[in-house]
Amino acid sequence: MSDDHIPLTGYAPVSDAEMSEKSKATLEMLLTRRTIRDFSDKAVPKDVIEMAIKAAATAPNGANQQPWHFAAISNPDMKRRIRIAAEEEERAFYGGRASDEWLDALTPLGTDASKPFLETAPWLIAIFAQKKGPEGEKHYYVTESVGIAMGMLITTLHSAGLATLTHTPAPMNFLRDICERPSTEKPLVLLVVGHPAETATVPKHALEKKTFEQIAKIWD
Ligand code: IYR
């Protein structure tokens, strides 16, 4: 073993039966996750958000450069500014910037330019990808790394009992100004986090999942 490596810890031996049980339990937990757009204004403690961000930051990533920044916002004034800027972009998107083909693909979701959840939900997490480090050094596999971290963030929040919406106003460069981030960072997603409103619905379309055979092939 070279001087710059240490023995692996954290992997207790596990039986095949236990592995099956645990993976099934995680699958069942994830099968209950739904993207929602109707949020309650019920508060969510800051420590839950902090914990979820710490969980996201354990993600495997290119050259351990950890090329991410999470701006977690519950400040009502910032949420309002984000809503105003996002709705302006969305009005342009739905009013002609998006192709007919794109708008057709969105029809079953029933989305439009109105984004009240950006003020109603207790937390917004703006996720930034750092193309470069503080000294201008290049980062590798940035989108992949941040994508994995976002998946882990959503999984942690869902397993805590919270609902999320992966909102992607396009373009969302306004987030850089509002969250005071440098031009070397690209906002990727605005994650809306909170409890579902009692009246929340999900589009039937979202429940139509591809079969296992459509998405995978096992070569054993
Ligand atoms: N950003 C828009 C449009 C939108 C695009 C996709 I792809 C979606 O899956 C959902 C919405 C909006 O948030 O309404």
Side-chain angles (χ1 to χ4, degrees):
M1 189 170 60
S2 66
D3 280 353
D4 51 6
H5 282 63
I6 57 160
L8 172 70
T9 56
Y11 281 81
V14 53
S15 70
D16 287 0
E18 208 179 324
M19 248 190 277
S20 286
E21 221 170 88
K22 287 191 173 187
S23 50
K24 185 160 182 261
T26 304
L27 167 62
E28 274 163 10
M29 181 270 286
L30 287 174
L31 281 170
T32 64
R33 190 199 60 78
R34 301 264 76 87
T35 290
I36 60 147
R37 293 180 174 77
D38 309 304
F39 285 85
S40 136
D41 61 1
K42 187 176 168 173
V44 167
K46 183 165 65 176
D47 72 290
V48 176
I49 301 299
E50 285 179 3
M51 218 90 74
I53 292 172
K54 286 179 188 175
T58 66
N61 65 90
N64 196 32
Q65 290 166 322
Q66 304 157 71
W68 41 58
H69 179 83
F70 302 87
I73 302 145
S74 70
N75 177 292
D77 177 56
M78 280 175 83
K79 288 200 292 185
R80 181 157 185 73
R81 286 163 61 208
I82 289 172
R83 176 181 178 183
I84 290 168
E87 286 184 334
E88 193 178 323
E89 297 295 358
E90 296 293 336
R91 276 194 296 274
F93 175 87
Y94 286 96
R97 197 163 61 207
S99 65
D100 287 347
E101 191 180 12
W102 194 347
L103 292 178
D104 283 350
L106 294 179
T107 303
L109 302 182
T111 52
D112 60 27
S114 165
K115 307 295 177 193
F117 51 76
L118 292 174
E119 283 191 274
T120 319
W123 288 97
L124 306 177
I125 307 180
I127 299 149
F128 294 84
Q130 301 174 327
K131 298 284 171 201
K132 290 179 177 173
E135 314 296 332
E137 69 277 22
K138 185 172 160 40
H139 281 168
Y140 300 96
Y141 297 107
V142 174
T143 313
E144 293 84 345
S145 302
V146 184
I148 298 167
M150 288 195 290
M152 294 169 73
L153 179 64
I154 292 167
T155 301
T156 306
L157 291 166
H158 174 67
S159 74
L162 291 166
T164 56
L165 164 65
T166 33
H167 182 40
T168 50
M172 55 179 129
N173 290 332
F174 62 84
L175 287 174
R176 214 187 266 136
D177 297 333
I178 295 176
C179 301
E180 302 178 1
R181 301 309 302 167
S183 59
T184 45
E185 293 187 5
K186 182 179 171 244
L188 282 193
V189 160
L190 181 57
L191 193 72
V192 184
V193 184
H195 296 277
E198 276 179 26
T199 53
T201 60
V202 289
K204 285 183 187 159
H205 172 77
L207 304 177
E208 292 164 18
K209 298 300 182 195
K210 292 182 180 173
T211 64
F212 184 77
E213 290 67 32
Q214 283 174 305
I215 62 153
K217 181 174 164 91
I218 306 281
W219 298 78
D220 57 358

